[in-house]
Amino acid sequence: SQQGEEDPQALSIQEGENATMNCSYKTSINNLQWYRQNSGRGLVHLILIRSNEREKHSGRLRVTLDTSKKSSSLLITASRAADTASYFCALGGATNKLIFGTGTLLAVQP
Amino acid sequence: GAVVSQHPSWVICKSGTSVKIECRSLDFQATTMFWYRQFPKQSLMLMATSNEGSKATYEQGVEKDKFLINHASLTLSTLTVTSAHPEDSSFYICSASQGQDYGYTFGSGTRLTVV
């Protein structure tokens, strides 16, 4: 499958803790993107990291990319209850298509 | 920022009828839009790539005669689910991009229930 595999499938943490989710893939990519989806809603783009980049930050988000291991991680620091959502990695290739990973369901307990 | 408007947000239809879902890019032109399908608690599966002025490109296993895509202008793509059946009930989401270095902007999705 060309789909990205995310782990864990589900993660439950307390407010203030950090949340880390991982994405592994098998194909070659131009970029890797992370999205957030609240239940039953559309997706919100969080961050894009290009294949020649290793790390990127945006506010409380930190994304790493290791193309040799074909893996990426998303770290959310100082989590809040409002961060509760599903998080998806998405693989951007040469064809302009975006292929989504399996997703991580994050629950942040207040 | 870029906005993609999707309509309707939810629809209930009877088996055998057709349903049209619209996806509009409000403040940018999108030569390419994408249609996804999402079952409960699952990831998004790409159905097809909608190309302005030409035929859509469908992913393997997606019936092009059942899921009709029209991209008549640079700001509008439509997905028509023809002769809908209960197994077509799902969450359908469209997206568009302003370019490869940008993230994709998604519509808010359409929840289709076929009864």
Side-chain angles (χ1 to χ4, degrees):
Chain A
S1 169
Q2 295 181 345
Q3 190 178 36
E5 297 287 333
E6 288 183 59
D7 83 276
Q9 289 186 344
L11 178 62
S12 181
I13 59 174
Q14 297 294 127
E15 253 189 336
E17 294 180 338
N18 296 342
T20 299
M21 45 207 96
N22 305 292
C23 173
S24 60
Y25 57 94
K26 295 180 180 178
T27 60
S28 59
I29 61 171
N30 284 352
N31 62 68
L32 188 144
Q33 304 176 34
W34 285 90
Y35 288 83
R36 165 199 169 119
Q37 183 183 35
N38 286 77
S39 180
R41 307 289 291 275
L43 278 76
V44 175
H45 175 250
L46 296 176
I47 199 163
L48 180 154
I49 186 166
R50 296 183 182 84
S51 59
N52 61 353
E53 296 175 313
R54 293 295 167 258
E55 187 171 313
K56 207 160 183 180
H57 297 253
S58 176
R60 293 185 296 113
L61 306 179
R62 173 178 167 250
V63 167
T64 62
L65 178 64
D66 186 335
T67 51
S68 66
K69 295 181 179 177
K70 287 186 163 39
S71 69
S72 173
S73 68
L74 171 67
L75 168 67
I76 304 174
T77 60
S79 64
R80 306 165 181 167
D83 294 330
T84 295
S86 291
Y87 291 82
F88 295 93
C89 66
L91 314 176
T95 61
N96 210 29
K97 295 181 193 178
L98 203 58
I99 305 298
F100 280 82
T102 49
T104 294
L105 179 59
L106 173 66
V108 182
Q109 310 297 334
Chain B
V3 176
V4 172
S5 173
Q6 187 171 341
H7 177 81
S9 55
W10 61 270
V11 57
I12 301 172
C13 72
K14 292 184 177 179
S15 284
T17 62
S18 295
V19 174
K20 180 185 282 189
I21 303 170
E22 290 189 350
C23 181
R24 293 180 185 272
S25 57
L26 294 188
D27 48 4
F28 67 101
Q29 294 182 333
T31 55
T32 305
M33 292 185 177
F34 302 89
W35 287 95
Y36 292 83
R37 182 174 183 175
Q38 185 180 31
F39 289 107
K41 298 187 178 181
Q42 293 189 25
S43 185
L44 282 75
M45 298 303 297
L46 180 64
M47 297 175 66
T49 303
S50 174
N51 305 299
E52 187 269 335
S54 64
K55 292 182 180 180
T57 307
Y58 290 82
E59 294 299 301
Q60 196 172 13
V62 177
E63 298 176 61
K64 58 183 68 176
D65 293 333
K66 179 160 191 64
F67 298 101
L68 299 179
I69 291 173
N70 185 277
H71 195 152
S73 77
L74 285 170
T75 58
L76 174 64
S77 174
T78 60
L79 168 68
T80 301
V81 183
T82 63
S83 187
H85 291 285
E87 56 266 31
D88 298 325
S89 298
S90 189
F91 193 57
Y92 293 88
I93 315 176
C94 67
S95 75
S97 173
Q98 292 180 278
Q100 236 188 18
D101 286 342
Y102 298 89
Y104 288 62
T105 303
F106 282 78
S108 54
T110 297
R111 184 158 305 283
L112 170 64
T113 303
V114 185
V115 298

